[in-house]
Amino acid sequence: MSLHPQAEAYLKLLPAGLATPSLELTPELIAEMRAMDAFAEQRGPIVPLPLVRDDVATGVPVRIYRPQDGDHALPAIVYFHGGGWVFGDVDRNEALGRDLAVRNGAVVISVDYRLAPDHPFPAAADDGWSVVKDVFARPEAYQVDPERIAVYGDSAGGNVAAVAAWQARDAGLRLAHQVLVYPVVDVAMDTESYRTYATGFGLGAGEMAWFIAQYGGDPADPRLAPARLADKAGLAPATVITAECDPLCDEGEAYASQLAAAGVPVEVRRYDGAIHGFFGLPGFFDQAIEAREYAAARLKEAFR
């Protein structure tokens, strides 16, 4: 293992107390941390778009980004942000939502799912599935092609996306693709990457344990741990992106292997020397742009 030089530089800049949320965080401190964003400038430019609007999908707030003028149907990406089910929102991911729309030529529906511990398991999963169902049920309201709908998520958002993917399959709804960026797909925390990168690499094992405790749920429930889903045959084709120096690396790659074993078309790409969170910070990491371009190429192929 060798940290990428940009990852090394980033870790040196990370303010104390921001890399590792305290296990004693009070509701007031959680609210304060939700309101702050020390890395807003590194999340990328706010690219102008013909249409950006807030809406509500079956009770769940969403923000919709359209990269082209007109009302013709475009492919759709239902995007779920990361943040350990506790942090993050559509505002913090504004730059990424716009970037995904432009880079993929798709309408992006960014989901403001409910956060723990205020709204524990399965609130995030329920909200994610509600929005996906709504996009399929009312494609004209989103100006999207119902034959070209994908789910996309990073970290805890990758968890919500993976859960929505199997729920779509079980409901008879055909997703074109699923993009899972260093997803949480199990909560056993027993992999080699959890041991190797437990501390000192940004997101640590202690922080993940705290996040999982805030969200709650039964570790055997596939709505929490999609890796525990008994039958993965027929799930949407997948792209799985992992970071080498990340506790979640091994479980993401194991999930890709499970999908492949079930006959699901899948590609997995590991970014060497990268740490958890790199994907959302193109101002720090060249690999963020590389990964977004790779995922866009995969999605464009799926949408064709």
Side-chain angles (χ1 to χ4, degrees):
M1 181 279 299
S2 177
L3 267 176
H4 191 286
Q6 291 176 333
E8 285 187 335
Y10 169 79
L11 290 173
K12 290 176 182 176
L13 292 172
L14 208 58
L18 200 62
T20 55
S22 165
L23 304 190
E24 304 300 323
L25 280 180
T26 64
E28 292 75 20
L29 284 174
I30 290 174
E32 186 177 323
M33 290 182 70
R34 285 175 180 165
M36 63 186 289
D37 185 4
F39 304 124
E41 293 184 3
Q42 284 74 39
R43 296 189 187 279
I46 305 299
V47 179
L49 293 178
L51 174 69
V52 178
R53 67 179 175 90
D54 290 328
D55 206 336
V56 177
T58 59
V60 182
V62 297
R63 185 166 294 164
I64 300 167
Y65 305 91
R66 182 179 173 88
Q68 298 175 14
D69 286 316
D71 58 2
H72 56 287
L74 294 174
I77 296 170
V78 185
Y79 169 69
F80 305 101
H81 65 77
W85 303 287
V86 175
F87 300 110
D89 55 33
V90 295
D91 289 333
R92 182 170 295 191
N93 290 277
E94 179 76 8
L96 177 55
R98 291 169 181 259
D99 181 78
L100 292 178
V102 172
R103 200 177 294 276
N104 293 281
V107 172
V108 171
I109 300 104
S110 183
V111 182
D112 224 0
Y113 58 84
R114 288 170 293 169
L115 299 176
D118 323 56
H119 303 284
F121 173 87
D126 286 350
D127 287 357
W129 174 226
S130 290
V131 174
V132 171
K133 281 193 297 183
D134 194 59
V135 176
F136 272 101
R138 302 187 305 124
E140 68 287 346
Y142 298 92
Q143 299 177 321
V144 303
D145 179 354
E147 299 298 318
R148 296 186 291 167
I149 298 172
V151 292
Y152 199 127
D154 50 279
S155 194
N159 170 275
V160 178
V163 171
W166 71 253
Q167 290 177 312
R169 177 204 63 180
D170 289 0
L173 302 176
R174 193 191 72 83
L175 284 170
H177 207 74
Q178 53 179 320
V179 178
L180 311 177
V181 181
Y182 36 68
V184 184
V185 287
D186 204 349
V187 292
M189 299 178 55
D190 60 355
T191 63
E192 184 61 34
S193 61
Y194 255 104
R195 291 184 285 273
T196 302
Y197 305 111
T199 60
F201 296 89
L203 177 71
E207 291 72 57
M208 275 307 305
W210 183 83
F211 284 130
I212 292 165
Q214 303 311 299
Y215 190 42
D218 179 354
D221 191 326
R223 292 176 301 167
L224 175 63
R228 304 294 171 141
L229 184 69
D231 180 13
K232 298 179 179 64
L235 292 177
T239 297
V240 180
I241 290 170
T242 63
E244 179 188 13
C245 305
D246 176 4
L248 303 183
C249 181
D250 287 354
E251 69 190 65
E253 294 179 3
Y255 190 64
S257 296
Q258 292 173 357
L259 294 177
V264 177
V266 58
E267 277 191 16
V268 59
R269 181 166 294 187
R270 177 194 297 181
Y271 285 82
D272 292 339
I275 58 174
H276 192 87
F278 81 92
F279 189 85
L281 296 169
F284 276 118
F285 303 109
D286 294 338
Q287 288 173 313
I289 301 301
E290 295 170 19
R292 293 181 191 190
E293 277 295 292
Y294 164 62
R298 292 279 292 159
L299 274 175
K300 288 174 182 175
E301 180 181 348
F303 289 150
R304 280 197 295 270

